[in-house]
């Protein structure tokens, strides 16, 4: 029987839900996709539970109508500066000569690595094995089946603040739903927008949303680093509003319709009539005048990303696949060209175009849906693995690791 998955993305500008079915043959079909504007959630700050839960109920009833499925459980994406990655290591030694490393050994190593010290107001969101060392041999991705006495694991532990997670849970519960799982957003989005080769050779996935810009670096098939900054699309709209002294909704409309992030990308410097506040006369601006407001802010975002999150972390030279931009602000015209110039790397737009067999295929191809689509694909992969290995005792963590770089990327 087909299994139903529902991904829920609670962003700073909208709530969106995607319902999909995982068929017995492994096909994932989108049965419903809806979004509702919502500004109840400000990363790291105000959390208006009532406003968000109303928006959740709204999108859920839309996808219930589209799909004919009653939704009870949702997979929720989380991101932002509250999420931190820690590297932890663990060791086991076996006495028996010619000991063949088992799944259980690896599960124990990962379990031990989870005992790393982290602040009491944090909880573990993901445990992602990075690599293993067997009797001094380094950079082993999968030690199961190897002969070895001393096995070491390096594990990337992703933690989130307890209050963030509990606020999300409460909000979802208030909407009459249960949280099936919390998933770190960039990990999910990687499933919907990145290519396996990019994850292997090194790529920075940059999600520029409304309230935050999140960066995740993948290399050698795994998540290496994540970071976040509280500047994104809303700030750009605010800049436009102030620069031309217009209302926020007009600034937003101007940005979306006529906004360019890069002067050199403007082919026709068309003039635009703008309505002033109150009784003020309409006035005329040009695309390049608008771009002169947008470009410095986008450049600032890119400079912080490069300096703080790539160069200082040692990724400036190693990302052979360069930059993939996603999130609503990645729709700004010229932004991909600007990214390529500023980062001095190849850059492309990341849109959810893969992983789904049918249903809403055109509608989902928008960078604002990368997270919701990724949440569903992440879970679908787990279900498909379960279908294949029914009855076998595979540790969840090891299974997820394997899914991540073997199944869809392998
Ligand atoms: N065509 C477009 N051109 C430029 N900006 C756009 C366009 N479409 C949407 N945006 C901007 O994208 C942002 C919304 O993107 P997205 O839906 O990814 O954000 P979010 O998930 O709500 O926020 P966050 O991820 O920061 O919590 C808004 O600031 C919006 O103005
Ligand atoms: Mg978002």
């Amino acid at each position: 029987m087909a299994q139903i998955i529902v991904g829920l993305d609670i962003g700073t500008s909208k709530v969106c839900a995607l319902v999909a079915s995982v068929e017995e043959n492994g096909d994932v079909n989108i049965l419903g996709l809806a979004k509702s504007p919502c500004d109840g959630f400000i990363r790291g700050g105000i959390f208006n539970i009532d406003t968000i839960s109303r928006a959740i109920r709204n999108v859920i009833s839309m996808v219930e109508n589209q799909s004919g499925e009653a939704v009870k459980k949702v997979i929720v994406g989380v991101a932002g500066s509250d999420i931190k990655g820690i590297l932890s290591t663990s060791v086991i030694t076996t006495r028996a000569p010619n000991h063949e490393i088992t799944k259980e050994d690896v599960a124990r190593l990962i379990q031990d690595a989870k005992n790393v010290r982290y602040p009491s107001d944090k909880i573990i969101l993901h445990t992602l094995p990075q690599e293993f060392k067997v009797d001094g041999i380094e950079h082993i991705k999968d030690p199961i089946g190897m002969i070895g006495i001393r096995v070491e694991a390096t594990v990337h532990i992703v933690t989130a603040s307890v209050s963030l997670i509990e606020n999300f849970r409460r909000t979802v519960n208030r909407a009459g739903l249960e949280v099936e799982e919390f998933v770190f957003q960039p990990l999910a989005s990687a499933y919907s927008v990145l290519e396996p080769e990019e994850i292997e050779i090194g790529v920075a996935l940059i999600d520029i949303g409304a309230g935050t810009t999140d960066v995740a670096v993948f290399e050698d098939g795994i998540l290496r680093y994540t970071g976040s900054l509280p500047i994104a699309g809303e700030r750009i709209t605010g800049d436009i509003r102030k620069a031309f002294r217009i209302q926020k909704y007009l600034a937003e409309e101007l940005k979306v319709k006529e906004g360019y992030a890069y002067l050199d990308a403007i082919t026709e410097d068309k003039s635009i009539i703008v309505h002033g506040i109150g009784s003020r006369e309409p006035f005329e601006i040009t695309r390049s005048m608008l771009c002169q407001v947008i470009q410095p802010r986008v450049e600032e975002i890119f400079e912080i990303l490069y300096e703080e999150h790539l160069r200082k972390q040692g990724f400036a030279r190693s990302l052979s696949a360069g930059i993939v931009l996603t999130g609503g602000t990645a729709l700004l015209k010229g932004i991909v060209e600007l990214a390529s110039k500023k980062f001095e790397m190849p850059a492309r737009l990341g849109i959810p175009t893969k992983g789904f067999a049918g249903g809403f295929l055109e509608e989902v191809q928008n960078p604002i849906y990368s997270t919701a689509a990724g949440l569903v694909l992440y879970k679908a992969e787990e279900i498909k693995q379960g279908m294949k290995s029914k009855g076998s005792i595979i540790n969840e963590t090891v299974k997820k690791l394997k899914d991540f770089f073997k199944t869809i990327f392998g």
Side-chain angles (χ1 to χ4, degrees):
M1 216 179 74
Q3 292 196 50
I4 301 296
I5 313 172
V6 185
L8 184 69
D9 174 15
I10 305 171
T12 43
S13 71
K14 54 108 206 316
V15 169
C16 99
L18 191 153
V19 181
S21 64
V22 183
E23 306 296 331
E24 271 171 22
N25 66 2
D27 278 358
V28 185
N29 291 309
I30 305 177
L31 307 178
L33 175 65
K35 70 173 161 63
S36 172
C38 173
D39 60 2
F41 169 49
I42 301 170
R43 292 257 175 88
I46 302 153
F47 212 103
N48 190 330
I49 293 186
D50 274 341
T51 311
I52 310 168
S53 64
R54 235 178 290 125
I56 295 176
R57 267 202 295 269
N58 194 10
V59 286
I60 292 296
S61 75
M62 288 194 256
V63 291
E64 282 183 332
N65 284 337
Q66 290 166 335
S67 64
E69 296 287 340
V71 174
K72 292 190 185 68
K73 288 187 294 183
V74 290
I75 318 275
V76 178
V78 288
S81 56
D82 276 333
I83 320 277
K84 297 260 186 288
I86 324 164
L87 280 185
S88 172
T89 52
S90 56
V91 184
I92 54 165
T93 46
T94 53
R95 281 174 203 283
N98 294 333
H99 172 77
E100 189 178 314
I101 300 160
T102 62
K103 285 172 196 154
E104 288 73 22
D105 292 333
V106 171
R108 190 149 63 88
L109 274 166
I110 293 163
Q111 194 53 43
D112 287 351
K114 280 170 107 172
N115 293 332
V116 64
R117 281 168 65 96
Y118 55 91
S120 59
D121 59 348
K122 301 271 180 189
I123 55 164
I124 295 180
L125 204 57
H126 297 285
T127 313
L128 308 164
Q130 303 275 288
E131 56 190 22
F132 297 85
K133 193 168 154 185
V134 179
D135 294 341
I137 304 166
E138 293 187 76
H139 311 304
I140 295 165
K141 277 192 184 172
D142 184 358
I144 296 169
M146 286 178 73
I147 306 291
I149 292 174
R150 184 186 160 89
V151 193
E152 284 178 60
T154 307
V155 179
H156 182 167
I157 311 255
V158 181
T159 67
S161 80
V162 175
S163 61
L164 177 80
I165 294 294
E166 283 318 308
N167 274 328
F168 269 125
R169 198 189 303 281
R170 257 185 217 195
T171 311
V172 171
N173 292 348
R174 183 80 64 91
L177 303 163
E178 251 179 70
V179 178
E180 183 173 358
E181 195 173 335
F182 286 104
V183 179
F184 186 39
Q185 282 185 18
L187 208 52
S189 304
Y191 279 78
S192 64
V193 302
L194 294 184
E195 295 298 334
E197 301 77 34
E198 291 174 323
I199 289 180
E200 200 54 50
I201 66 175
V203 67
L205 175 62
I206 298 174
D207 181 327
I208 319 181
T212 51
T213 296
D214 296 299
V215 56
V217 176
F218 295 85
E219 212 174 25
D220 300 326
I222 44 180
L223 178 68
R224 291 282 184 195
Y225 171 80
T226 61
S228 179
L229 61 143
I231 314 173
E234 266 174 9
R235 193 71 72 86
I236 299 169
T237 304
D239 292 339
I240 299 170
R241 185 178 62 77
K242 282 184 217 146
F244 302 113
R245 299 180 187 180
I246 52 174
Q247 283 180 277
K248 193 176 158 194
Y249 82 93
L250 283 176
E252 177 72 23
E253 198 179 290
L254 257 185
K255 178 181 81 171
V256 170
K257 282 198 185 146
E258 303 290 350
Y260 277 78
Y262 190 25
L263 266 179
D264 288 6
I266 300 176
T267 45
E268 188 204 342
D269 195 10
K270 174 179 132 173
S271 50
I272 311 154
I273 305 293
V274 182
H275 297 280
I277 289 178
S279 56
R280 287 190 203 168
E281 288 292 305
F283 55 95
E284 201 177 306
I285 62 164
T286 59
R287 273 183 178 164
S288 58
M289 285 163 74
L290 181 60
C291 180
Q292 274 155 12
V293 177
I294 300 171
Q295 185 167 338
R297 187 62 81 184
V298 179
E299 284 183 347
E300 181 197 9
I301 295 174
F302 288 167
E303 278 157 20
I304 299 173
L305 284 173
Y306 182 79
E307 201 45 41
E308 301 295 320
H309 299 282
L310 299 183
R311 199 191 62 78
K312 273 197 191 152
Q313 311 298 332
F315 295 115
R317 296 273 155 255
S318 63
L319 302 176
S320 306
I323 306 289
V324 175
L325 294 176
T326 195
T329 301
L331 287 170
L332 266 177
K333 292 176 269 297
I335 197 167
V336 172
E337 293 92 315
L338 183 67
S340 179
K341 179 177 163 265
K342 291 294 282 185
F343 289 100
E344 296 179 352
M345 289 181 206
R348 71 169 181 92
L349 183 62
I351 294 179
T353 49
K354 54 180 205 158
F356 297 108
F360 296 83
L361 290 182
E362 267 180 36
E363 292 82 348
V364 81
Q365 290 185 27
N366 184 323
I368 66 166
Y369 292 133
S370 301
T371 299
L375 290 168
V376 164
L377 292 172
Y378 174 90
K379 190 69 185 176
E381 211 43 56
E382 193 178 293
I383 292 174
K384 285 195 243 171
Q385 280 301 302
M387 285 173 177
K388 276 189 217 155
S389 59
K390 247 184 199 145
S392 70
I393 329 153
I394 300 180
N395 175 281
E396 274 296 298
T397 332
V398 177
K399 185 157 70 63
K400 272 190 184 160
L401 158 78
K402 287 188 178 258
D403 296 350
F404 196 65
F405 51 75
K406 290 237 172 79
T407 316
I408 60 166
F409 302 143

